[in-house]
Amino acid sequence: MSAAFLVSGVLFCCSVNVMILELQIKADPGSANLITFCQFLFVAVVGFMTGTNFGRKTRVIPLRHYAVLTTLYFVQSFANNKALSYNISMPMHMIIKSGSLVANMILGVSLAGKRYPASKWVSIFLVSGGIILCTLASADDALKKHENREMDVDEISSTAVEKDSRSERGGFVSLCIGVGLVSFSVFVAAGLGLFQEILFKRYGRHSQEGVFYTHILPLPCFIFAAESLIQHVHVYNASEPYFSDVLMRQIPVPRLWLLMLANVITFFGCSSSVVSLMTICSSLTVTLVLTLRKFFSIFISVYWFDNTFHTRHWVGTFFVFLGTLLYIDLSFVKQWWPKPKQS
């Protein structure tokens, strides 16, 4: 497949997946465990057919290494999706995830002994500043809501005010937990990337094999979330039905299950496009494509879903993407421009 086709797949599938995920979370805020389980199950089934040729293909990387890789990937995915169950908007979620460059550099210096030029540290300063600015802006929103509730004491009964006050304080705490979970997932993902680099150097790139094992091995861990899974399966079953024509009969299909089907399909398309792009393009190109995808997703989330986004949020977003572009050094784009003809 051509690079242009894969880039289009990343931009389309990943952006649509984020939209679908936000629709699911808005309809059922606590369904993060169910969504993660269905994503892993779908990718594992498809990976078994395509990545291992129904189990007939010999595994290259030892299982013990996949155990470490799988643990990191599962923790990262679980924390990333679980954060959406708390008081954190999708744009804020994506901005914090853009801080992966910060985590990569910190772990690269502390664990791998890497050295970076001054331009990289400037870019990290911009990204970190942008994330902090957006986080403070969101925190101020939560606190202002709490203060506004207290100013309405004379207009509302004291019982109602006390209840709303507790709710707003809880919203601020929930925001902090959500930010903490996303930040934690970013650092785990950075550690995952470093470990993958080690495996790639030792055994070569076996992306399809890796996709299968990193999704099949964590499935037994969901037994610990069985109660949550069952609870939200009932919520999905009880969602508004969509009537589809099957064999000339009107069969009701719960709307949330249709969204789940669209979620896992676009999730697989997104992840497989990214993995395939990594095999034919440099990591800088992949980073640029993913940065553009996040930028598009933020615009979609703000305008399509009417999420709160003030001036400070936009300034912080600008710092994050400016720092990202400075980090990847756009000089490599020059090779894409046609060279002038010599007479």
Side-chain angles (χ1 to χ4, degrees):
M1 288 183 286
S2 66
F5 178 81
L6 292 174
V7 169
S8 300
V10 171
L11 295 177
F12 177 77
C13 291
C14 296
S15 298
V16 172
N17 181 258
V18 170
M19 291 178 61
I20 295 169
L21 178 61
E22 188 160 3
L23 287 171
Q24 290 177 277
I25 293 298
K26 286 182 179 295
D28 184 15
S31 59
N33 290 341
L34 180 61
I35 293 172
T36 306
F37 173 76
C38 291
Q39 289 175 338
F40 274 55
L41 179 62
F42 183 84
V43 175
V45 171
V46 177
F48 178 73
M49 294 185 291
T50 59
T52 70
N53 193 18
F54 294 92
R56 291 191 292 265
K57 187 176 181 180
T58 304
R59 188 181 65 252
V60 178
I61 300 177
L63 203 58
R64 66 179 183 277
H65 294 318
Y66 276 126
V68 178
L69 198 66
T70 297
T71 301
L72 293 174
Y73 184 69
F74 174 75
V75 171
Q76 179 262 328
S77 298
F78 183 84
N80 179 66
N81 285 348
K82 189 65 176 177
L84 294 171
S85 300
Y86 294 90
N87 187 30
I88 179 172
S89 67
M90 187 63 74
M92 185 69 201
H93 185 273
M94 287 182 283
I95 290 171
I96 297 175
K97 286 182 66 178
S98 300
S100 57
L101 296 177
V102 180
N104 285 332
M105 282 190 63
I106 291 175
L107 293 184
V109 171
S110 59
L111 298 181
K114 295 182 178 181
R115 294 179 178 273
Y116 298 95
S119 61
K120 304 295 186 185
W121 290 108
V122 172
S123 69
I124 293 306
F125 175 78
L126 289 171
V127 172
S128 302
I131 292 174
I132 292 172
L133 184 61
C134 289
T135 304
L136 292 176
S138 296
D140 284 346
D141 286 342
L143 290 175
K144 285 178 180 178
K145 289 179 181 178
H146 173 59
E147 292 173 356
N148 291 336
R149 295 292 185 185
E150 291 181 338
M151 293 174 62
D152 294 336
V153 172
D154 295 334
E155 300 178 10
I156 312 175
S157 66
S158 59
T159 303
V161 170
E162 183 179 356
K163 181 179 179 180
D164 288 340
S165 180
R166 287 198 303 267
S167 174
E168 297 301 340
R169 285 195 297 268
F172 176 72
V173 173
S174 181
L175 170 66
C176 294
I177 294 174
V179 170
L181 282 172
V182 181
S183 302
F184 173 72
S185 73
V186 166
F187 275 91
V188 175
L192 173 67
L194 289 176
F195 189 66
Q196 279 182 319
E197 286 184 15
I198 297 174
L199 294 182
F200 286 159
K201 290 179 181 178
R202 183 179 301 179
Y203 300 102
R205 292 179 179 270
H206 302 279
S207 55
Q208 295 301 323
E209 176 186 294
V211 167
F212 169 68
Y213 282 102
T214 53
H215 287 85
I216 189 68
L217 293 179
L219 289 179
C221 299
F222 285 97
I223 191 67
F224 299 106
E227 184 177 352
S228 172
L229 295 179
I230 295 172
Q231 175 186 351
H232 291 284
V233 163
H234 292 318
V235 174
Y236 271 54
N237 289 340
S239 62
E240 179 184 355
Y242 171 82
F243 290 90
S244 60
D245 290 321
V246 179
L247 298 177
M248 306 299 292
R249 295 180 59 186
Q250 289 282 324
I251 298 179
V253 180
R255 174 176 171 271
L256 285 180
W257 282 119
L258 289 177
L259 288 176
M260 183 68 81
L261 178 61
N263 182 308
V264 296
I265 292 175
T266 53
F267 176 78
F268 177 77
C270 173
S271 57
S272 60
S273 296
V274 172
V275 169
S276 298
L277 191 64
M278 291 175 63
T279 61
I280 63 174
C281 296
S282 67
S283 59
L284 296 179
T285 303
V286 176
T287 302
L288 177 60
V289 172
L290 293 178
T291 300
L292 290 175
R293 195 277 300 172
K294 291 173 184 175
F295 193 67
F296 292 150
S297 296
I298 288 175
F299 270 102
I300 292 171
S301 184
V302 170
Y303 289 105
W304 188 276
F305 294 99
D306 197 26
N307 282 304
T308 302
F309 222 62
H310 300 308
T311 303
R312 281 192 296 170
H313 288 101
W314 285 117
V315 173
T317 303
F318 173 76
F319 283 160
V320 168
F321 287 103
L322 178 62
T324 301
L325 295 176
L326 178 62
Y327 182 90
I328 63 179
D329 184 7
L330 290 180
S331 60
F332 78 96
V333 177
K334 293 179 181 179
Q335 62 183 339
W336 293 353
W337 292 95
K339 296 180 180 179
K341 295 182 180 180
Q342 297 181 351
S343 57

